[in-house]
Amino acid sequence: MNHFEYREQTMHCEGVPLPLIAAAVGTPFYAYSAATLTRHFQAIDQAFNDIPHVTCFAAKSCSNIAILNLFGHLGGGADIVSGGELFRALSAGIDPKKIVYSGVGKSPEELRYALKSGILMFNVESLQELATLQQVAAALDLVAPVALRINPDVDPKTHAYISTGLAKNKFGLPLEQAAAIYAEAQAMSHIEVMGVSCHIGSQLTTVAPFVESINKVIAFVKRLATDGITIKYLDMGGGLGICYDQEEPPLPAEYAAALKKALAGVPGCTLIIEPGRVIVGNAGILVTKVLYTKSGAKQFIIVDAGMNDLARPSLYGAYHGIQAVVQSDRGEVVADLVGPICETGDFLAKERALPVSETGDLLAVMSAGAYGFSMSSNYNSRPRVPEVLVRGDEFFVIRKRETFADLIHGESIPE
Ligand code: LLP
């Protein structure tokens, strides 16, 4: 269930009709429901209430500070992958002691910033990164809390671009190497071994790959214990999928039950999870306006949002439901929904039964809350669109539409 529903033929986000927001901020825009964000966060978080855990929201999926702040108020932390995301999380008031830092390519500057900020844990992905962190920490006379990210070589059965847990993927350390690297880490003067981390991919629609990877990780944690290395935090990453179309992903309770069953083998460990999509995906939509329609060999509906605003269809061939904001009795037409970008790959839906549309109609691109705005760009010099947070009968612009002046901010012409 979500909070995007029709009342008298007009789609509302919670209590606010979408045309009202469009009139106030123009189109396109992203709209998020605070009630859905809250409910989804709590559904995941509370599924683990009976065990020690930290829910570190994957900031990359939706990084607006108003949304990070909302999760912070609900007790959430953040999973970050850059200095920029750390800045956002701290600006949003997230407790640094609930921030974990993942990613294969953290620069020395980023490591320094995170270390000074006092984050909970660095999920280190290579021996060279570990050595760099040791150096940075020594220079600051600080101790870096560390987990090594394990690559369990498990197939998450998702899109190849968002699969991370296979041996051929760039992420994590092979299990065979990890024990030796833990021993090195343990011996480093400014490194404190705290945990093990793992993230096998995104948009998973069964629990089996999660179970396979947690079992591998737990067997590894037990092995470390026999080497005298104690693990306090087990970070199992994110990845739980959502329904975009026909998918039937596991419910939070089922996912939690599977993880908790395995975790019973390592009492005393605190679980960290890094959910992104499952919390925000169906809590946000992109609203766009029909500019033109044309027909020839094919039907095209041309709207004012493009691949720069929502990259997922172009990048992954991803499916997003398309709905008329105001329902009509004009029926449907099989068409491509395309944007203004000068690329044939610029589409939001292909050969889809879409509402017969006219210039000026509003369309809602559903399930766009995750990796929607956060992956948007200025390609074709298009200002990024506003983000709006709806709470009951009120709405708040949590990011203004960019201006043309924003587009050239920081640019200069040499004499
Ligand atoms: N933790 C780590 C280390 C990650 O790399 C990711 C996502 C997550 C957590 C959160 O995963 P989630 O719960 O959202 O599945 N742009 C793609 C998704 C990329 C995911 C990258 N990593 C998309 O639009 O489908």
Side-chain angles (χ1 to χ4, degrees):
M1 188 207 140
N2 61 50
H3 292 87
F4 299 94
E5 285 176 344
Y6 289 98
R7 293 190 199 164
E8 288 162 11
Q9 272 79 56
T10 298
M11 192 188 289
H12 285 56
C13 177
E14 301 193 22
V16 181
L18 292 172
L20 191 73
I21 304 178
V25 305
T27 56
F29 64 89
Y30 277 90
Y32 307 95
S33 153
T36 310
L37 292 166
T38 303
R39 210 199 42 233
H40 289 180
F41 180 90
Q42 289 179 334
I44 287 286
D45 189 50
Q46 290 173 0
F48 293 97
N49 258 356
D50 50 338
I51 61 163
H53 75 282
V54 191
T55 301
C56 294
F57 172 68
K60 67 174 82 64
S61 62
C62 187
S63 45
N64 188 291
I65 58 170
I67 289 174
L68 299 179
N69 173 270
L70 192 158
F71 298 143
H73 279 294
L74 297 172
D79 159 50
I80 58 158
V81 291
S82 69
E85 284 188 356
L86 176 55
F87 180 73
R88 283 183 172 280
L90 296 175
S91 304
I94 301 267
D95 178 358
K97 279 283 156 259
K98 291 184 180 174
I99 295 179
V100 292
Y101 191 172
S102 311
V104 290
K106 310 175 191 81
S107 71
E109 295 71 33
E110 289 178 312
L111 292 172
R112 195 170 301 125
Y113 175 31
L115 203 47
K116 284 203 214 155
S117 304
I119 67 165
L120 174 61
M121 197 162 82
F122 293 83
N123 291 341
V124 169
E125 304 211 18
S126 65
L127 182 54
Q128 290 189 357
E129 182 191 335
L130 183 67
T132 305
L133 184 55
Q134 153 72 12
Q135 262 176 18
V136 168
L140 291 172
D141 199 19
L142 292 170
V143 173
V146 157
L148 296 189
R149 177 165 172 184
I150 303 300
N151 182 323
D153 195 18
V154 166
D155 186 355
K157 301 198 167 58
T158 183
H159 192 285
Y161 289 6
I162 55 176
S163 152
T164 54
L166 285 166
K168 66 179 179 191
N169 301 139
K170 70 176 175 178
F171 297 97
L173 291 157
L175 264 174
E176 314 82 70
Q177 293 176 16
I181 301 178
Y182 267 100
E184 288 198 41
Q186 186 85 331
M188 289 179 173
S189 57
H190 291 74
I191 297 289
E192 185 184 2
V193 172
M194 306 276 282
V196 175
S197 83
C198 181
H199 169 79
I200 56 172
S202 197
Q203 182 56 13
L204 273 70
T205 50
T206 60
V207 289
F210 290 117
V211 171
E212 195 183 336
S213 61
I214 195 169
N215 285 336
K216 285 191 175 181
V217 169
I218 284 174
F220 179 69
V221 169
K222 288 180 177 165
R223 171 172 166 203
L224 287 178
T226 62
D227 296 347
I229 297 173
T230 310
I231 295 302
K232 289 193 204 134
Y233 291 98
L234 219 151
D235 181 344
M236 290 308 300
L240 190 56
I242 63 168
C243 176
Y244 285 99
D245 184 11
Q246 306 287 325
E247 304 91 333
E248 289 179 1
L251 293 173
E254 199 186 328
Y255 165 74
L259 293 193
K260 284 190 280 192
K261 187 169 168 217
L263 275 166
V266 283
C269 253
T270 295
L271 176 70
I272 295 173
I273 47 167
E274 303 171 351
R277 187 188 321 261
V278 69
I279 297 176
V280 292
N282 280 320
I285 62 172
L286 172 64
V287 176
T288 182
K289 190 165 70 189
V290 175
L291 294 173
Y292 308 107
T293 57
K294 63 176 177 179
S295 53
K298 277 183 91 163
Q299 304 277 336
F300 293 101
I301 300 174
I302 303 157
V303 292
D304 63 0
M307 64 189 282
N308 69 300
D309 302 308
L310 178 65
R312 303 192 70 259
S314 304
L315 199 53
Y316 315 112
Y319 177 100
H320 286 267
I322 309 292
Q323 294 185 23
V325 167
V326 179
Q327 291 173 320
S328 79
D329 50 16
R330 294 194 298 246
E332 290 189 328
V333 57
V334 175
D336 283 12
L337 189 71
V338 300
I341 298 280
C342 295
E343 298 216 19
T344 299
D346 175 33
F347 58 87
L348 297 173
K350 277 213 129 156
E351 284 162 26
R352 194 87 73 71
L354 297 169
V356 169
S357 301
E358 289 173 4
T359 299
D361 285 355
L362 297 177
L363 294 174
V365 183
M366 308 306 292
S367 311
Y371 307 103
F373 185 86
S374 67
M375 288 176 76
S376 69
S377 79
N378 291 123
Y379 187 41
N380 276 203
S381 285
R382 289 164 48 81
R384 275 179 299 169
V385 308
E387 292 177 286
V388 173
L389 182 66
V390 176
R391 210 163 55 200
D393 295 333
E394 289 181 296
F395 68 91
F396 306 88
V397 177
I398 56 173
R399 191 179 211 276
K400 288 195 276 198
R401 185 181 305 281
E402 290 178 351
T403 63
F404 288 157
D406 291 330
L407 290 177
I408 58 168
H409 176 77
E411 294 184 19
S412 58
I413 302 171
E415 302 250 319

